[in-house]
């Protein structure tokens, strides 16, 4: 009985850790511009598919990952320079729509360059699962959790301790004021997209051994990741992780104890409830009305 | 402008001269084969090899002198996996391109969207999609190549019965393919004396199915597990199944019968069984297998021409085109009603997918036996006798 519970819990953590890592990617750009970057899933895809492509060229996995992450950063910066910057005076909704367009474009390019097949990324530390109290845990989930934790701490430190991080936050709070105190807001935005792509691609390659990777994996992952981010409170790193794991565990428990038919329904109802009572999410900041 | 049109006219003249030199003037009019396939988009893994196969064999048939002394002309549109596009393109093929026969429809959705137009225009249509609804109930002008999911379910259950299993756990994807497979399995299980004691599902974007598999494992008396689905889902199920150390015989459906699945699932796939077209094992077909020759030559030609691995789905297009050619030859013309009648009369056509025996009440012409039961051994497919 207990081993069953443990198994559902482990499954939930595995799924949830994936959502959490994806959700984290949304925070930086949101913090910089209040834009929800719908091309975030494509950064994940570039991380995973890039690694597969570079490994296919005979490059060792570690370096292939670094190259893929660099590639994603370039794409992120290019996205900001070529698509977001020309529309700098547009409002947030327009920018969000631009990111949707960009995501379709990137996906199309990836489909042509890398093909349409699913690919495997080898797990970072072997295929052998960890056995604990009669249940099994995928060793890659620990990597996902660990990297998630490192990224959360790095994000918190970045936004509170570094000048650039505070410049990003400042830009999102009041663009004009930030400009007046000497923040180059376009530069900040470009940096935010680059960093966000870095985060996304690291997440993409870390979850790829669990989920596989393909040109369209971004849509699948980003949807649940976005839900997790919204539940945790957009812009909060800790919120993204808690939201993701909560979502994963609820899904797994529902699939285990109620019925797998209802798992998405239960998860989404929970989100509705959370957002109904806490519209800013579990860890979202207080709403401040600017007059 | 004037120069351009002059050039064009000269080109047309040259082309006309060339064709009339090659074939006699009255035979120059091509036989138009229309097609709409999902070459890009989510179902591109179906449409891409299908189009490649059609292009390659239309070219080959033309080099060999065409059909009834007339060349074939392939008119193709990409429906991007979207049923309403498929309907529009089917309309265009019928009304403005005035094709003689349609071979296409990668997905069941695209096929069913085109069916009303085809029935109304009274034009023979050979579908390359799977679901049983395409030919059941029989539609006068609609035929289809692949075996239905019901046959796949029957073949799997037959093999389970043979091995003495009577209680099975079912885990299926909630996508169209998995959902329909689940329905068919539940419907025919009792005919084979098999009871489905656990019935689990997973969504198309799920990344871990351990919870569902744990439930099946903990159900009393389960003898075997069957997974119905396609895409990456079944590969994840297979990995989770191996990680959980479930020592029950494991079955997959024909939805993952491709070499790509073996790459994804890796060692975890070892020992699982599934029903598949013989195209997966061209070199290990026994000498006396009637399909051996056609399967081997198709696999060889496809690889030589495109440099990529052959797939089950390309095989559907091969059979679709050959059925069309055979019917046109038998009819001696492209008269639509005559071609339709000849399609219905096809008996014993040995194709890549199976041996087709059409009948007025069977517009598919295959039996569950056309599926071979394969087992994964040492990372490759092996035919189970």
């Amino acid at each position: 009985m207990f081993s069953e519970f443990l198994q559902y819990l482990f499954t939930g953590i595995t799924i949830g850790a994936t959502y959490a890592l994806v959700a984290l990617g949304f925070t930086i750009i949101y913090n910089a511009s209040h834009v929800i970057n719908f091309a975030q899933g494509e950064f994940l895809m570039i991380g995973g598919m890039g690694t597969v492509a570079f490994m296919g060229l005979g490059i060792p996995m570690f370096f292939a990952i670094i190259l893929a992450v660099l590639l994603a950063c370039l794409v992120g910066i290019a996205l900001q320079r070529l698509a977001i910057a020309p529309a700098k005076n547009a409002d947030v909704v327009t920018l969000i729509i631009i990111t949707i367009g960009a995501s379709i474009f990137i996906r199309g390019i990836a489909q042509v360059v890398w093909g349409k097949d699913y690919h495997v990324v080898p797990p970072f530390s072997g295929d052998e699962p960890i056995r604990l109290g009669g249940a099994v845990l995928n060793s890659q989930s620990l990597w996902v959790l660990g990297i998630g934790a490192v990224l959360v701490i790095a994000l918190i430190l970045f936004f509170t301790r570094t000048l650039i991080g505070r410049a990003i936050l400042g830009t999102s709070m009041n663009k004009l004021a930030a400009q007046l105190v000497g923040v180059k807001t376009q530069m900040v935005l470009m940096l935010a997209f680059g960093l966000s792509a870095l985060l996304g691609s690291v997440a993409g390659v870390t979850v790829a051994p669990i989920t596989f990777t393909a040109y369209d994996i971004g849509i699948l992952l980003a949807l649940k990741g976005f839900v997790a981010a919204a539940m945790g409170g957009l812009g909060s790193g800790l919120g993204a992780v808690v939201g993701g794991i909560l979502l994963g565990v609820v899904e797994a428990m529902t699939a285990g104890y109620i019925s797998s038919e209802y798992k998405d329904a239960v998860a989404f109802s929970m989100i509705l409830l959370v957002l109904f009572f806490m519209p800013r999410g579990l860890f979202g900041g207080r709403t401040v009305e600017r007059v | 402008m004037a120069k351009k049109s002059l050039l064009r006219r000269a080109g047309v003249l040259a082309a006309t001269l060339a064709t009339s030199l090659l074939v006699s003037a009255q035979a120059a009019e091509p036989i138009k084969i229309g097609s709409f396939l999902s070459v890009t988009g989510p179902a591109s893994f179906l449409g891409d090899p299908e189009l490649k196969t059609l292009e390659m064999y239309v070219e080959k048939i033309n080099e060999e002198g065409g059909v009834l002394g007339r060349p074939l002309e392939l008119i193709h549109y990409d429906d991007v996996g979207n049923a309403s596009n498929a309907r529009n393109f089917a309309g265009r093929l019928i009304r403005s391109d005035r094709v003689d026969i349609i071979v296409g429809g990668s997905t069941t959705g695209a096929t069913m969207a085109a069916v009303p137009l085809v029935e109304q225009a009274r034009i023979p249509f050979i579908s390359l999609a799977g679901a049983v609804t395409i030919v059941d109930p029989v539609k006068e002008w609609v035929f289809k190549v692949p075996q239905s999911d019901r046959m796949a379910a029957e073949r799997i259950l037959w093999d389970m019965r043979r091995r003495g299993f009577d209680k099975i756990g079912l885990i299926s994807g909630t996508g169209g393919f998995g959902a329909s497979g689940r329905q068919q399995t539940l419907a025919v299980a009792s005919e084979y004396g098999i009871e489905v004691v656990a019935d689990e599902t997973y969504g198309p974007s799920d990344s871990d199915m351990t919870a569902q598999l744990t439930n099946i494992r903990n159900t009393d008396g389960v003898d075997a597990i069957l997974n119905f689905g396609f895409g990456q889902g079944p590969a994840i199920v297979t990995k989770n199944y191996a990680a959980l150390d479930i020592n029950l015989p494991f079955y997959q459906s024909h939805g993952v019968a491709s070499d790509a699945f073996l790459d994804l699932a890796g060692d975890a796939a070892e020992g699982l069984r599934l029903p598949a077209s013989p195209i997966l094992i061209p070199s290990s077909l026994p000498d006396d297998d009637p399909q051996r020759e056609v399967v081997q030559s198709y696999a060889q030609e496809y690889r030589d021409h495109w440099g990529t691995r052959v797939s089950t789905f390309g095989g559907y297009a091969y059979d679709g085109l050959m059925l069309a050619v055979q019917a046109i030859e038998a009819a001696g013309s492209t008269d639509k009603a005559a071609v339709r009648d000849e399609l219905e009369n096809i008996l014993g056509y040995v194709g890549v997918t199976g041996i087709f025996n059409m009948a007025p009440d069977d517009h598919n012409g295959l039996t569950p036996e056309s599926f071979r039961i394969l087992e994964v051994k040492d990372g490759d497919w092996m035919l189970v006798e």
Side-chain angles (χ1 to χ4, degrees):
Chain A
M1 222 38 215
F2 180 69
S3 73
E4 233 174 80
F5 173 77
L6 213 56
Q7 186 61 60
Y8 298 144
L9 187 67
F10 285 173
T11 304
I13 289 174
T14 302
I15 304 172
T18 317
Y19 296 161
L21 210 47
V22 177
L24 271 178
F26 285 99
T27 51
I28 294 183
I29 291 180
Y30 183 80
N31 275 346
S33 59
H34 284 180
V35 168
I36 294 155
N37 174 26
F38 277 100
Q40 192 63 34
E42 274 49 55
F43 295 154
L44 293 159
M45 180 272 289
I46 294 173
M49 287 301 287
T51 305
V52 169
F54 288 123
M55 282 174 75
L57 298 177
I59 299 169
M61 184 163 174
F62 181 74
F63 296 103
I65 292 176
I66 291 179
L67 283 175
V69 169
L70 285 178
L71 176 69
C73 287
L74 282 179
V75 172
I77 290 170
L79 170 64
Q80 198 276 333
R81 294 262 43 119
L82 303 176
I84 303 290
K88 61 182 168 189
N89 292 324
D91 60 358
V92 169
V93 176
T94 312
L95 294 178
I96 292 177
I97 293 170
I98 291 176
T99 68
I100 296 177
S103 83
I104 296 171
F105 178 73
I106 297 172
R107 207 154 54 232
I109 300 268
Q111 184 181 354
V112 172
V113 176
W114 288 327
K116 302 156 194 161
D117 291 336
Y118 271 88
H119 295 277
V120 199
V121 174
F124 295 178
S125 50
D127 241 336
E128 201 51 43
I130 299 161
R131 285 165 213 290
L132 206 69
V136 294
L137 178 65
N138 192 332
S139 64
Q140 189 66 24
S141 322
L142 294 182
W143 277 100
V144 175
L145 280 175
I147 289 177
V150 170
L151 288 178
V152 169
I153 294 168
L155 271 182
I156 291 175
L157 290 178
F158 176 73
F159 279 120
T160 54
R161 299 292 160 85
T162 68
L163 196 59
I164 301 172
R166 279 187 277 181
I168 290 183
L169 279 184
T171 306
S172 82
M173 284 166 187
N174 192 328
K175 208 166 164 183
L176 187 66
Q179 274 172 338
L180 286 175
V181 296
V183 176
K184 293 192 176 104
T185 52
Q186 279 304 311
M187 199 66 176
V188 160
L189 261 185
M190 190 177 91
L191 204 71
F193 269 85
L195 276 177
S196 171
L198 184 139
L199 207 70
S201 56
V202 168
V205 72
T206 315
V207 302
I210 299 176
T211 61
F212 300 119
T213 186
Y215 78 98
D216 61 351
I217 196 78
I219 317 177
L220 300 185
L221 290 179
L223 185 69
K224 285 279 174 67
F226 173 67
V227 169
M231 191 164 72
L234 275 167
S236 157
L238 190 63
V241 171
V242 173
I245 291 183
L246 201 61
L247 189 61
V249 170
V250 168
E251 275 188 17
M253 291 293 168
T254 313
Y257 288 116
I258 304 173
S259 158
S260 42
E261 292 274 345
Y262 292 120
K263 77 183 166 51
D264 285 339
V266 171
F268 285 119
S269 327
M270 184 183 76
I271 292 151
L272 280 180
L273 282 178
V274 167
L275 293 181
F276 190 71
F277 291 108
M278 304 171 77
R280 305 279 298 174
L282 295 173
F283 290 83
R286 277 173 297 128
T287 319
V288 181
E289 284 293 327
R290 284 193 292 263
V291 188
Chain B
M1 199 64 198
K3 194 177 175 189
K4 201 172 162 192
S5 74
L6 195 69
L7 267 178
R8 191 180 293 159
R9 264 184 219 161
V12 171
L13 195 68
T16 323
L17 269 173
T19 31
S20 57
L21 280 174
L22 285 171
V23 285
S24 63
Q26 51 96 20
E29 192 185 333
I31 297 174
K32 288 183 179 174
I33 302 205
S35 186
F36 57 95
L37 298 166
S38 310
V39 182
T40 58
S44 58
F45 66 100
L46 300 170
D48 186 58
E50 286 166 355
L51 178 62
K52 282 178 171 161
T53 302
L54 288 183
E55 283 176 341
M56 173 178 142
Y57 280 96
V58 162
E59 193 181 311
K60 183 162 179 264
I61 289 170
N62 286 343
E63 277 166 13
E64 289 165 359
V67 177
L68 304 177
R70 291 161 62 183
L72 296 183
E73 183 188 349
L74 178 67
I75 299 170
H76 163 261
Y77 299 105
D78 178 6
D79 65 34
V80 208
N82 177 325
S84 78
N85 284 348
R87 188 186 161 87
N88 290 341
F89 288 137
R92 197 188 296 182
L93 286 170
I94 294 166
R95 280 190 292 271
S96 71
D97 299 319
R98 300 183 171 277
V99 296
D100 296 304
I101 187 166
I102 299 179
V103 179
S106 306
T107 65
T108 300
T111 296
M112 293 310 281
V115 160
L117 293 179
V118 164
E119 287 285 295
Q120 197 187 11
R122 306 175 73 76
I123 176 167
F125 173 33
I126 303 176
S127 165
L128 310 180
V132 71
T133 45
I134 298 169
V135 290
D136 179 25
V138 171
K139 295 158 193 71
E140 196 181 356
W141 297 86
V142 183
F143 297 80
K144 94 181 178 104
V145 175
Q147 301 94 338
S148 62
D149 39 11
R150 178 186 287 258
M151 287 183 207
E154 283 174 349
R155 193 64 170 160
I156 295 167
L157 292 165
W158 170 82
D159 191 60
M160 287 175 165
R161 184 74 268 175
R162 190 169 64 157
R163 293 166 81 184
F165 307 145
D166 47 21
K167 284 182 177 167
I168 63 162
L170 176 65
I171 173 167
S172 50
T174 52
F177 181 84
S180 167
R182 171 178 171 271
Q183 225 174 5
Q184 301 300 336
T185 307
L186 294 175
V188 296
S190 59
E191 290 173 24
Y192 289 82
I194 287 175
E195 192 188 343
V196 179
V197 288
D199 179 14
E200 298 281 336
T201 61
Y202 57 86
S205 63
D206 286 3
S207 56
D208 192 295
M209 289 66 153
T210 315
Q212 291 93 320
L213 287 169
T214 306
N215 268 350
I216 294 180
R217 183 174 63 179
N218 293 342
T219 308
D220 279 340
V222 174
D223 293 324
I225 299 177
L226 165 61
N227 179 202
F228 230 111
F230 75 26
Q232 87 285 21
I236 296 177
V237 172
T238 307
K239 284 203 151 181
N240 294 160
Y241 160 86
L244 283 172
D245 256 341
I246 304 178
N247 284 316
L248 291 172
F250 188 42
Y251 283 83
Q252 284 283 354
S253 73
H254 58 312
V256 297
S258 71
D259 293 346
F261 170 74
L262 286 185
D263 293 346
L264 285 185
D267 292 342
E270 208 58 29
L272 71 75
R273 288 190 176 189
L274 51 68
S277 154
I279 192 77
L280 286 184
I281 44 160
S283 50
S284 55
L285 282 174
D287 287 340
D288 59 348
D289 192 299
Q291 285 175 260
R292 182 182 155 96
E293 202 187 316
V294 58
V295 166
Q296 286 188 349
S297 74
Y298 169 64
Q300 186 65 38
E301 283 167 11
Y302 189 91
R303 200 163 36 235
D304 290 350
H305 196 273
W306 297 104
T308 53
R309 290 183 297 200
V310 73
S311 87
T312 309
F313 317 115
Y316 297 154
Y318 175 88
D319 287 337
L321 181 66
M322 294 307 159
L323 286 170
V325 166
Q326 192 171 334
I328 291 170
E329 271 171 352
S333 75
T334 51
D335 178 67
K336 293 186 178 68
V339 171
R340 191 214 80 91
D341 291 346
E342 289 303 334
L343 269 176
E344 208 168 75
N345 288 336
I346 285 179
L347 283 181
Y349 160 70
V350 181
V352 172
T353 315
I355 298 169
F356 290 79
N357 290 301
M358 298 284 184
D361 60 351
D362 181 5
H363 280 192
N364 176 212
L366 293 173
T367 57
E369 286 71 38
S370 56
F371 275 124
R372 312 300 163 95
I373 296 284
L374 306 186
E375 188 171 305
V376 180
K377 199 170 188 191
D378 301 325
D380 207 352
W381 305 107
M382 199 194 66
L383 188 63
V384 177
E385 286 309 321

